Amino acid sequence: QVQLVESGGGLVQAGGSLRLSCAASGRTFSGYAAGWFRQAPGKEREFVAGISRTGGTTDYGDSVKGRFTVSRDNAKNTVLLQMNSLIPEDTAVYYCAVPLRMGSSISDLRSGRRYWGQGTQVTVSS
């Protein structure tokens, strides 16, 4: 079992930045890929960013490439999402996620079953 708690959401003007943090507890965090999804009102949850177990490989959704950066600190059991050049379309609830399977990859994060955090609201005003 892995427990995930997000923080760092809030209200920001377009063009601004926010940094989200996800604290993980439970099993060995370094044994899992990790990442972020988001869900806007009336839309399906979508993949935002993923990072491999060691942090050596990252992947991003097309709409955030070049603006968002995902990182992790396995010593602190945290995964971060730095969001720059925010636009109103980034408004959503952001969820931290970890695949169920230890030894998982970013591909598992994208398409497999996952542990989820409770979510944190990000609102970008125009």
Side-chain angles (χ1 to χ4, degrees):
Q1 187 77 10
V2 175
Q3 293 81 40
L4 304 169
V5 178
E6 303 97 335
S7 61
L11 174 64
V12 64
Q13 288 189 334
S17 298
L18 280 176
R19 189 176 77 163
L20 304 184
S21 179
C22 174
S25 61
R27 294 184 178 178
T28 306
F29 179 62
S30 61
Y32 300 84
W36 296 87
F37 289 73
R38 68 185 182 185
Q39 188 166 20
K43 294 188 176 181
E44 293 187 355
R45 194 169 297 189
E46 66 170 345
F47 173 78
V48 173
I51 189 165
S52 62
R53 299 190 300 276
T54 63
T57 302
T58 57
D59 190 20
Y60 297 92
D62 289 342
S63 60
V64 308
K65 283 180 181 176
R67 300 187 298 120
F68 290 11
T69 302
V70 62
S71 61
R72 68 189 294 163
D73 184 340
N74 286 338
K76 296 181 179 179
N77 283 4
T78 58
V79 58
L80 304 175
L81 185 67
Q82 178 66 42
M83 305 185 294
N84 298 328
S85 303
L86 285 161
I87 59 178
E89 289 76 15
D90 294 320
T91 296
V93 177
Y94 283 70
Y95 297 91
C96 180
V98 169
L100 294 185
R101 185 176 66 85
M102 199 167 191
S104 51
S105 66
I106 296 175
S107 178
D108 296 320
L109 175 70
R110 275 183 170 268
S111 60
R113 296 176 64 193
R114 313 164 193 93
Y115 296 107
W116 295 101
Q118 83 286 354
T120 185
Q121 176 71 46
V122 171
T123 303
V124 184
S125 63
S126 57

